[in-house]
Amino acid sequence: MRYFSTRSFRVAARQSWYTIRYVAVGNEPFLTSYSGQFQSFVVPALLNLQQSLVKANLAGYVKLVVPCNADAYESSLPSQGAFRPELTQIMTQLVSFLNSNGSPFVVNIYPFLSLYGNSDFPQDYAFFEGSTHPVTDGSNVYYNAFDGNFDTLVAALNKLGYGQMPIVIGEVGWPTDGAIGANLTAARVFNQGLINHVLSNKGTPLRPGVPPMDIYLFGLLDEGAKSVLPGNFERHWGIFSFDGQAKYALNLGLGNRLLKNAKNVEYLPSRWCVADPIKDLTNVANHLRIACSAADCTTLNYGGSCNEIGAKGNISYAFNSFYQLHMQNAQSCDFDGLGMVTFLDPSVGDCRFPVGVNDHKSSLAFRSCHRWTTIWTSILGGMWFSLML
């Protein structure tokens, strides 16, 4: 979360008004899991920030938005979409504010989460290649979850009298690890299908020929320290790995150009920390707990890319993750004598034992990746700034 004083925000926004398009006030504040605890703060925060934008003469350039999770609305059919009953009043206030100030409605849509959370969810309905389980809604037929979810929101806005309000997709994507169905192939198929679908300008049954005004793929890089409360996949949404390397080929609709890897990345030496094969590992549990509480071990869990490498493989993966996190410091591979350094890559199949990036060179190593970020934001929209008051 990034915090700004009114003055610092005014200065930063004036210097970058041509790239900052939206300021997100909170993020998914109406989640059912929050039990309404943030609802009373949303509109006052919007009004306060809007006054600041007006005073800074930025209200015409920068728009305030409140990204909502798709659980803010519900329906068995898209055309019957409505906001949850307990949100009707505040959504009416929010949408009225957005409309008055020329802001879009921002929603985060994740077909992966629908598939992940419901064993009966048709897998092909989560993608864009057509479905053997389409949803028929009167004369409209939905062949993918994205369109169905989007039109449910359109119907919900229409019930409030704002059926033509512009909609921005604040987050949409597919993770590559950490759960069943989260893998490189599925992520590539989903994201490429989404891009092709949007660029076709077909829109949806309730908004034919009118695709969302902006779409932000989530996300750019993996986040190895992110909370895994929703699931271990949370750390693996990136289309690039931690070292700025593209995970799969993805065409953003710019001719034949695909994602480009970060250049001049300086890695640590090619060595790994693994479990010493001649040592008794009976009492390794506490070391595993310590290693995985600091480093990312989510690929070891059920559905992950390293889930089937065996007990010793799990121990070695945890040891190595800790070792790389600590810049290959010799002591970080000790584990009371249970670890050892090897120069042979212990990776197995799709389970990659990473080598870390030289931290003191990180600013140089990711200049290329930063340049790509600039291109990325110009393609898919502006920049996100999230403020919580």
Side-chain angles (χ1 to χ4, degrees):
M1 193 63 65
R2 184 173 295 186
Y3 294 86
F4 293 95
S5 68
T6 301
R7 182 184 176 198
S8 65
F9 170 70
R10 183 185 303 123
V11 172
R14 274 183 171 167
Q15 292 173 343
S16 305
W17 63 266
Y18 53 90
T19 53
I20 300 175
R21 298 176 60 186
Y22 309 118
V23 172
V25 183
N27 186 48
E28 301 183 345
F30 309 120
L31 278 174
T32 53
S33 58
Y34 292 153
S35 302
Q37 60 180 309
F38 301 119
Q39 290 185 27
S40 62
F41 299 104
V42 174
V43 173
L46 279 169
L47 296 174
N48 182 34
L49 286 168
Q50 185 65 23
Q51 289 177 357
S52 297
L53 289 173
V54 171
K55 289 179 181 178
N57 295 319
L58 293 170
Y61 304 117
V62 181
K63 301 302 179 181
L64 301 180
V65 295
V66 179
C68 291
N69 187 278
D71 80 343
Y73 47 90
E74 54 193 6
S75 175
S76 57
L77 292 174
S79 65
Q80 299 174 10
F83 290 106
R84 300 199 320 261
E86 70 273 21
L87 296 179
T88 301
Q89 181 178 358
I90 190 168
M91 280 298 178
T92 301
Q93 294 176 305
L94 170 59
V95 173
S96 176
F97 172 90
L98 298 175
N99 184 68
S100 297
N101 292 283
S103 297
F105 191 99
V106 176
V107 62
N108 302 334
I109 296 178
Y110 285 107
F112 169 80
L113 296 181
S114 299
L115 183 63
Y116 175 77
N118 183 358
S119 59
D120 295 327
F121 192 89
Q123 181 168 335
D124 59 0
Y125 190 62
F127 297 90
F128 295 89
E129 282 68 42
S131 174
T132 57
H133 300 81
V135 173
T136 301
D137 184 5
S139 60
N140 295 324
V141 181
Y142 292 86
Y143 292 95
N144 66 79
F146 180 86
D147 285 356
N149 196 310
F150 186 89
D151 274 3
T152 303
L153 172 59
V154 172
L157 290 170
N158 189 55
K159 283 184 171 61
L160 297 183
Y162 297 92
Q164 300 304 313
M165 171 165 283
I167 296 174
V168 165
I169 308 301
E171 295 179 12
V172 60
W174 199 279
T176 58
D177 213 328
I180 293 293
N183 55 68
L184 295 173
T185 299
R188 182 191 61 78
V189 170
F190 177 83
N191 283 332
Q192 192 63 70
L194 171 69
I195 292 169
N196 295 343
H197 183 61
V198 172
L199 293 179
S200 73
N201 290 318
K202 291 180 180 178
T204 63
L206 293 187
R207 286 193 175 178
V210 185
M213 62 181 293
D214 283 317
I215 292 184
Y216 293 82
L217 281 183
F218 186 82
L220 189 66
L221 300 169
D222 281 351
E223 300 174 82
K226 189 177 181 181
S227 170
V228 294
L229 187 61
N232 292 310
F233 54 82
E234 281 294 335
R235 295 181 176 178
H236 303 281
W237 290 98
I239 60 173
F240 291 91
S241 53
F242 74 96
D243 52 358
Q245 306 305 296
K247 293 181 182 179
Y248 47 83
L250 191 65
N251 189 323
L252 298 177
L254 301 173
N256 294 321
R257 287 182 289 174
L258 303 178
L259 300 183
K260 292 186 177 181
N261 295 329
K263 297 179 180 179
N264 304 317
V265 180
E266 184 171 324
Y267 293 93
L268 296 172
S270 296
R271 58 191 179 209
W272 298 262
C273 177
V274 297
D276 191 329
I278 66 173
K279 296 295 178 66
D280 180 5
L281 301 176
T282 303
N283 298 316
V284 77
N286 190 51
H287 294 298
L288 283 177
R289 181 186 61 79
I290 293 172
C292 291
S293 65
D296 179 30
C297 298
T298 52
T299 60
L300 298 176
N301 296 103
Y302 181 67
S305 61
C306 299
N307 178 236
E308 298 181 351
I309 60 175
K312 285 188 177 180
N314 290 346
I315 296 168
S316 292
Y317 187 92
F319 281 8
N320 184 65
S321 296
F322 188 84
Y323 177 64
Q324 303 298 336
L325 181 67
H326 289 83
M327 304 296 293
Q328 297 186 357
N329 181 287
Q331 292 183 338
S332 66
C333 187
D334 183 64
F335 298 104
D336 287 341
L338 300 180
M340 60 171 282
V341 174
T342 179
F343 295 90
L344 297 176
D345 187 349
S347 300
V348 181
D350 292 334
C351 178
R352 175 193 174 200
F353 280 58
V355 170
V357 172
N358 196 333
D359 196 44
H360 79 275
K361 294 286 187 179
S362 60
S363 60
L364 293 175
F366 288 99
R367 280 179 183 170
S368 176
C369 188
H370 173 73
R371 186 166 66 89
W372 167 252
T373 304
T374 304
I375 298 172
W376 182 257
T377 54
S378 69
I379 294 170
L380 297 181
M383 298 173 60
W384 277 119
F385 280 82
S386 182
L387 279 73
M388 280 293 280
L389 302 184

